[in-house]
Structures are given as C-alpha cells and as structure tokens.
Amino acid sequence: MSHVTYNKMWAEAQEGLNNLLQTETEDKSPKPLKDHPIVFQMLATFYVKYVQIFHNLETAYDQIVHPQKRLVIRQVLEGVMGRILELKNEMVELENSEFHYFDDILQDQKLCPEHIEIPIPRYFIKEKLKVLKEREKILAQILVNAGLQDIEPKKHIKVMTFEEAIRIIQISERARQGRLRAEFMKQIYLEEKRERQARLHSGKSPNLDASAVCIQKVWRGYIQMKRTEKIREEEMIFLGMSPPPHFHRISASLMQAQRVEAMRCEVQEKHEEEYKKALVAIKNRLREMEGPDIKESLQEQIRQWFIECRLPPQNQGSLELVSVIKDEFRHITGKFPDYPDEEDGGSIVIFSQKTPEQVAAELAAKEEELQKKSKDKGKKGKKEKEKKKKGKEKGKEKQEKKANEEKEGWKMAPSNFLPIMEEGNNWYKDVWQHREEGWNFHQEYDPELVKEEKRKEVKEEIRVQVDELMRQELKNLKLAVDREKDKKKRSGKKDKVSHAGLVIPPAQFLTQKWGYNLLTSRSGTKTRTKSFAVEDYIKNARTIDSLYKELVEGGLLIKPKTVKLSDYVGEYSYLGTTLRQVDIEPMPSLADVRQLIALYGILPLGSQALHEKSPLVKALLLAGPAGVGKKMLVHALCTETGANLFNLSASNIAGKYPGKSGLQMLLNMVFKVAKQLQPSVVWIGNTEKTFYKKVPKAEKEMEPKRLKKNLPKILKSLKAEDRVLIVGTTTRPFDADLRPFCKVYKKIILIPRPDYASRFALWKHIILQNGGSLSKSPTISCLAKMSDGFTQGHIIYAAQTILSERRIRQLNRKPLTAVELMGALARQDPVYKEEEDMFKAWYAKTPLGKARAKALMEESGVQTRACAQCPDVHTVQRENGLQRRHQADEAFQRLADKITAAEQSKAKVYVVLANFQLFFQQKSITTKKIETLGMYVQKKSSKYSEAIFLLKNCQVKVQRDSRQYENP
Ligand SMILES: Nc1ncnc2c1ncn2[C@@H]1O[C@H](COP(=O)(O)OP(=O)(O)OP(=O)(O)O)[C@@H](O)[C@H]1O
C-alpha cells in the first residue's frame, strides 16, 4: 500500500480517537452510576472502539516511513494501549470476572470478532531485533559448550576407494541387467501361456460383439464416473462448500503486498537514520548561525534588567522597561538584583511564564522539603510504625470506600493514559492535521520541524552559558559600583557541595550500580556492617554475562520455543452475552484466553511506559487440564516480547543450590539477570507443588515447597519499572493451599478445554500443518463433534501419529478418514466432567470467583455472608445450618484427639470413632450428642461393645438430624 493509504489510516484513527476522547471527558460526570449493566455497556463500547483504533495505529506505526510522524503515532499508540488495559481492569472490577463478552456490541457496530483481537505491536521485536539475535547466538553457544545442545549434525561424506566405487557400479549394472532379463523372461512366459490357451480353444473363434460390449461397458462406466466427479466438485464450489482451486495457491497480489511491506520497512530504517543525523547536523548549524544573535539578545535583556533595578526610584520614567522580564523581578530598588540560582532555573525564572505566586510557592515548597528531610532523618523508626498504622488504616479506608462505592454507585477511576493521549492528539492537530506535504513525496523528515525543536534546545544551552557570564558580570558590577563583598555566596557554595552529596559511599554506589542485594543479610535484616557487606560483595562481584552463563548451564535459563500468539488456535464464542443474560456462566473460549494473555502479559512486557503506568500484574497463573496449551502460551509470551525465559519449576530446581543460602543466591541471580536483561518471564511449572497442603511422600525428596516463603518477598521486590512476569502453570490447582496460592497469583486465567468452534478450527489447522490435505479430508465437523472432551494436546497427538510420512504419501490414492483419526484419539483419556467440575469449584473459591458468586446472589436478591470458618460465601438462610456443621466438625476433632491420646488397647474404639467421624463430616450433625458420646467413651472405654452400640445408636439419630439441616 502507498504512503497516502497509511496516512489516511492514521488520520482516521486520530479522528476516531478525538471523538472518543471528547466522549470520555464528557462522560466523566460527577454523578456516580448505579446501574451495572449500563456501566458495563459503556466501558465495553469504549474498549471495543479503542481496540479498533489500536489496530489502525499499530499498522500505521509499522508502515509509515516518516520519522517525525512516527513519534506522534508512538505516543498515541502507547496511550491507547494503556487505556485499553485500564478499561479492562475497570471491567474486571465491575463484573468480578476476567472474561468479558462483547458479541452484542459487535453486532450493533457490525464488526467481526477479529476486530477485537488484540494486535501485538510489531515494534516490540523489530526495535531490538539485533540485540535479540545476538543474545540468541550467545545462548546457543553456551548451550553447545555445555553439551546441552548439539550443533546441527554435519553430514559425513565418506571418501570411497576406487575399487569400492567400481564394485558399486558393477552391482548396480548387474541388477539392471537382471531386471531386464526377468522382464524378458516374463514376456516369453506370457506368450507361451497365451499360445497354450489358444490351442485349447482352437475350435471356437472369439465372440467379437461380446468382447466389444464388455470393453465399451468398462470404458463408458469409467468416463461417466470421471464426469460425475467433476460435476460434483463444480457444484460444491458453486455452492461455496469447497474452496475454488486458486484458493490453495498463494495469491500473486498478496506476495506483492508482502514485498512492498518489507521494502517499506527498509525505507523506514533509512529515513530514521537520516533523521537522527539531521538532528545533530541541524543543531550544530543553528548553534553556529543563530547562536551569537541569541546570546547577544539574552545578554542585552539581562543587562537591561540589572540597570532597571539599580535605577533610583525618581528616574523610573526615563527608561523603557524590558517587556520580557516578569513584573515581580522588576523591583526598582536602587540596588542591583540577586541573580537567580542555577538550581532555581537561572535566568529562565525571570523570563518564565509562571505567575509570581507559582514561583514563590515552588521555592517555598523546596525549602520546606529540605527542612523536612533533615528533621525526618532521626525519626525513621517512628515513621515506619506510623506507616504501618497508616497502611492498616488505609486498608480499612479502602474497604470502607469500596463498600461506599458499592452503595453510591460506580465512578470511572482516574486514568494515567488519557493525558498522554490528549497530548498526542493535540500534537497531531497542531502539527500534522493540516500540514502541506506536497513537496515530500518520499516522506522524509521535515527540516523545519527539526529546526523549531532544536532552536529551543540551543536557546536553552546558550542561556546557561549566558547565565554564567552574567552572574560574573553582576558580581563585578556590584563590586565596582556598590563595593559589595561576596561573602554569602561563598559560604552558600560550600554548603551546596556538601548538600549535593557528590561523594556516594562505596556500598551505596555498588548497590545503585548493580542492584546487588548483599548489603542486607540473608535473613533480610541489616545485621552485617556495611563495610563487611561491601567486602562480601567485592568478593562475589559477578558480571551479568557470567551470571547469565551460569544460569544457562544450570538449566535455569532456557531457550523459548518460537511460537506466536496467533499460533494458539481458538475461535470466538458468540454466545457469551446471551448466556450471561439468562444467568448462565459461559465457558470462556480460547480466543478469550488469547486476548487475556495479550493484555496481561504481552503488552506490559513489551512496553516500559505501559508497564510503569498501567495496572500492575506481577504474577499470572494459567490453570487448566493437561494439554490445553499452558506451556505454549508461556513460550508465546517470550516470542512476542523477546523475553528471557527462566524455569523455576520445582522439578527443575530440585537439588540445585541446596540450603537456604543456596536458594537465596539462586533467586538473587535469577532476578538480577531478569531485571537487567528485561523483559523476562519466570516460569514455574506445576506451581501447585510449591503450595502443597501436604507434600506427597514420593515428592518429599524434591522439596517442592522450597520457593513458598520466598515468592511473596520476590513479588514485593518487583517494582513497576521491572518488566518481569512470574507465570505459574498448573493442572491441579486444587492441590494447593488456596490462601497463599491466591496471594501470590492475583491474576488467574482458567483455560478450558476447546469448544466445538475451536476444535473445528484446530482440526483443520492441524491436518494442514501435518501435511494432510483438506480437499479430500474427512468431514471436519464430524471430527470436531466426536472429539468433544479432548484437549488440543490430544488432538495434536492423534493427527501426528496418523499423518506419518508414509501415510502422507498415500493420501492421493487413499484419502484420510475420520475413523483413522478417531481411533488414535480414543486411545487417550479425555477431560472428564468430574475434573472439569473440580476446576470450576476451585475457581469459585478464588477471591474473584467468590466475589462474582456473591455479586450474582445479591443481584438475584439472595442475601449472602462470608463464612468465618471456611472460605465459602453462603446465603443467610444456610448460615445456621453451616455454623452448626462447623461446630460439629470441631467437636469431632476434639473427640478424635481425646481418643488418640488414650491407651493403645482402646484402638478399636478409635477406629470406630474415626469411621464415624468420616461419616459425620459428610453429613450435618448435632454437637451435643457427640460431646456426650466422647465423655462416655472416656469413662467406660473398657467396654468397647457398649461404646460401639452407643455409636450406632447415635448414628441413627444423627442421620435423622442431618436431614433437618440439609433442608433448613
Ligand atoms: N490452541 C492451540 N493451537 C495450536 N496448538 C495448540 C493449542 N493448544 C495447545 N497446542 C499444542 O498442544 C500441545 C500441548 O500443549 P502444552 O504442552 O502447551 O499444554 P499444557 O497445557 O502445558 O500441557 P501440560 O499441562 O500437560 O504440561 C503442544 O504441542 C501445543 O503446541
């Protein structure tokens, strides 16, 4: 496409953005909105519109070759991306769900699901392609040196001796002659056979008519079959059931378009280079040509200011006051003025456009800050306590605020990205919207704009020099005219040097330079002296390169597979909104999962500005049955952002860096490299193991819970500027202790098994990818229907086992059938309903799941309350029953404890009671009965039979009671 097309695309995007910004600012009504569906509709409409603008801006940024236009687009693009993340966050908080469905909005605005796919900005990778390639090379080299990866096996060319070569030729020639002779012998044999048969039938002549009919029958049948096949194919194409033949060929215009796109990228690079050179050249030229004039006029103005101030009041009228000097600086006092300090901005203050109040307020604030700093040094301990108090209060306040908000209604949270977008939009309107560009056919940089920009810089530089000169001149003038001594300044200067803190203590310097954390002791408290720590550090001083190498060799830093997010096949669910409207929670589709990965992972990791200002996601959990593509998504995260991949799975760190200090060192290394070479993804596979409630015996040796205590600390240490994302994957989240698990993983993406539409797309994709052909393929819809319950991993395994090299060669003669593929699929275990229900039940217990359940219940008018003893949210009606159940559980526990403590001979009683306890745990029971029973067992425990009888008796009563609790 041409420059004009992309410029138009940009202009349209800007226009859309302008309208949207106007609506957003208008919609910032002070009145909170109470109707959730209306609020959600508004947010979702904004979201969809921003995503459309994002699409256009991304393409424009990728293809426009004008370097100065790209600067504006980049700013707006980042603003739009950030706003999308903010809106998503708002929707999550409003709906208490990670997944949102926009099918009704798509329908209203006549859009396709592709329009709300989140595009991955190509500049994430393009801008650091060289660095990434270099890093990839180093990684490969380290792996090869460590023997962890083979270099491509070279094809060995075996040198052959002359005799050997002759022998091979002889063998081939003799084989050829043998084959010829065999053919010849076969001919002779057939001839003889024919003659023998002719002799047998010598009396009868062949019936020519019958033979002709026979031949005609076969031939006509064959010809008709071919014709019918052709007609059927044509009909299918006509009906749109099969693609036309040219559909499988790569379109020439598409190839041309791709070539042009590549060419535009080259031109873009060239223009960028030229622009960078021009920035330096034009600045130098401006400095030479306009510098002296600027300097002179500045000096003139400042000098005039000196004179005005020095003038005796009675001579006020004799001088024309310099208009550029601010009024507050024109005190005609009869004295020379004090020159503004460098820190205050020098002469810029006297030319500044600020009001005097603003300048005074700024100065006062600065002074106050300095005073505060000196005071606060001694009160650090007190402050920390206060901080904690404040934190608690804040937490309370937040909760109250939330409750109030819920009562009052919803209000849009302040945005970090709206100002950025507005600034970019104004920049576009001021400079680019109506710019005449007839002269710039090649879309090179605009020198006039560069001059405007650089003139300001040159002026600023010269002003600093002029300040220096004028300060000296003023001093001389004061000495010469007023005979004033410069005492104050000298002492002031001394102070400033010490204040400036130029001498940084070495330990602090090292920490700043390397972020090395050894200044604090391993337990996290500052028990070591600083000098000791520094010595320690110097001993252990390591370059990032050596740490990188060690991590790669230890298998902790691994090479991510090249997988794009678009390779994660999955279709959009068209029923989301409809189902939610009838209070059925829809299963998210794979397209929704893809979208969340882009929003929570790829966009923030790819852009520093976005990561710093958008809602922060430090840890992400991907939970779902085996084979739904969790690992694939982790690799896609790295591929799309060029991130390093660290593997901290329990099985991978088992036995490495043993002990507490070893683990601390390992984490220090990993996160140091991750932060320095950001963006980085730290992957923890089977992350539920780190949070096991009880470690299984078989896994005890692996120490799966090693990271449990450290993870929250690590998360705390990750700041907004560190583009590091911890991604956990799990197939059994229900094995983990929920509270600490959800504390670490605040964002949870539950990945479901694929639905019909996704399976349909996946089968098609996989068959084609593995060399199968679709024209003669089995009915895909049949396969999609039959494979319900199986995950992507199962489907891929089935396709790969069936489509072997041999089978692919046979495809022309023997088309692929659904039965073959289903056979391979059926050999695997699908995801059973029970497992799926376990996932759903687990998710309902997570904070977001609970919040959603509560909100839904409240919406439907059922009053809910959080249970104090378990993580459930339940209705008020069930509260009494549940409380009694909890009491009973506790009583049982007490009873069981008492019996366990009893002598060994009472083991039988214990067994019975334990069994009984199990039964009670499943049912609701009365506490009183059990308490009495416990007492009885304790007193008369020698009579087991009596105890057992009593137990059974009690069982019947309890069964009756429990029914009562179940139906309150
Ligand atoms: N949506 C998808 N589109 C294409 N291929 C997919 C998709 N999802 C998964 N796959 C493929 O399925 C296979 C299994 O995926 P992966 O190993 O990532 O699953 P997993 O959920 O991590 O499994 P496990 O939990 O057993 O480790 C991989 O080959 C992956 O490329």
Side-chain angles (χ1 to χ4, degrees), residues 816-868:
L816 197 64
T817 60
V819 179
E820 283 176 270
L821 290 164
M822 282 316 296
L825 197 66
R827 262 173 257 137
Q828 304 165 75
D829 279 336
V831 179
Y832 291 109
K833 197 171 175 304
E834 288 76 17
E835 191 183 345
E836 209 172 84
D837 289 344
M838 272 163 89
F839 271 104
K840 280 188 198 165
W842 170 80
Y843 190 73
K845 285 182 191 166
T846 61
L848 203 65
K850 270 199 278 183
R852 177 151 185 86
K854 193 180 163 194
L856 284 178
M857 278 194 211
E858 275 169 9
E859 234 172 65
S860 55
V862 183
Q863 263 194 311
T864 57
R865 220 165 274 171
C867 183

Side-chain angles (χ1 to χ4, degrees), residues 260-282:
V260 171
E261 268 186 23
M263 249 165 55
R264 290 186 74 88
C265 289
E266 281 169 27
V267 176
Q268 198 182 68
E269 262 175 46
K270 200 180 120 205
H271 285 190
E272 202 75 40
E273 281 291 296
E274 284 170 6
Y275 174 61
K276 274 181 195 160
K277 278 182 198 163
L279 285 179
V280 181
I282 289 179

Side-chain angles (χ1 to χ4, degrees), residues 210-222:
S211 310
V213 168
C214 181
I215 293 167
Q216 276 181 10
K217 209 165 63 182
V218 174
W219 173 246
R220 284 189 182 162
Y222 174 76

Side-chain angles (χ1 to χ4, degrees), residues 337-374:
D338 286 332
Y339 208 90
D341 281 340
E342 218 175 298
E343 292 93 78
D344 301 335
S347 60
I348 203 159
V349 186
I350 51 177
F351 300 117
S352 121
Q353 288 166 6
K354 282 178 194 166
T355 59
E357 289 82 21
Q358 274 176 324
V359 177
E362 261 179 35
L363 287 174
K366 262 186 193 175
E367 252 176 44
E368 225 173 78
E369 219 172 87
L370 268 176
Q371 278 177 357
K372 254 189 188 178
K373 265 186 192 173
S374 57

Side-chain angles (χ1 to χ4, degrees), residues 719-775:
K719 300 281 170 307
E721 58 271 15
D722 301 325
R723 276 185 290 153
V724 179
L725 180 69
I726 296 176
V727 185
T729 56
T730 171
T731 41
R732 298 189 58 80
F734 18 83
D735 286 348
D737 193 0
L738 193 66
R739 257 185 208 165
F741 197 44
C742 291
K743 248 187 189 176
V744 169
Y745 294 108
K746 296 239 163 74
K747 281 276 171 221
I748 299 172
I749 303 179
L750 194 61
I751 308 178
R753 61 185 172 78
D755 53 8
Y756 175 84
S758 295
R759 289 196 303 274
F760 188 90
L762 196 71
W763 273 115
K764 240 177 167 179
H765 173 80
I766 290 301
I767 289 174
L768 280 178
Q769 201 186 40
N770 286 286
S773 63
L774 279 181
S775 53

Side-chain angles (χ1 to χ4, degrees), residues 460-474:
E460 181 55 27
E461 274 174 24
I462 291 174
R463 197 191 53 72
V464 175
Q465 292 168 10
V466 168
D467 274 4
E468 209 45 49
L469 286 176
M470 295 313 286
R471 213 169 269 129
Q472 195 56 41
E473 196 175 309
L474 182 66

Side-chain angles (χ1 to χ4, degrees), residues 49 180 212 255 261 511 533 581 625 680 711 865 921 935:
K49 285 187 178 169
L180 271 181
M255 279 183 23
E261 268 186 23
T511 323
Q581 274 165 0
S680 300
L711 271 180
R865 220 165 274 171
Q921 273 175 350
M935 304 251 289

Side-chain angles (χ1 to χ4, degrees), residues 556 646-654 683-687 690 707 729:
L556 295 161
F646 296 87
N647 181 359
L648 287 190
S649 309
S651 55
N652 194 43
I653 56 168
W683 169 48
I684 307 178
N686 293 331
T687 188
T690 314
L707 280 180
T729 56

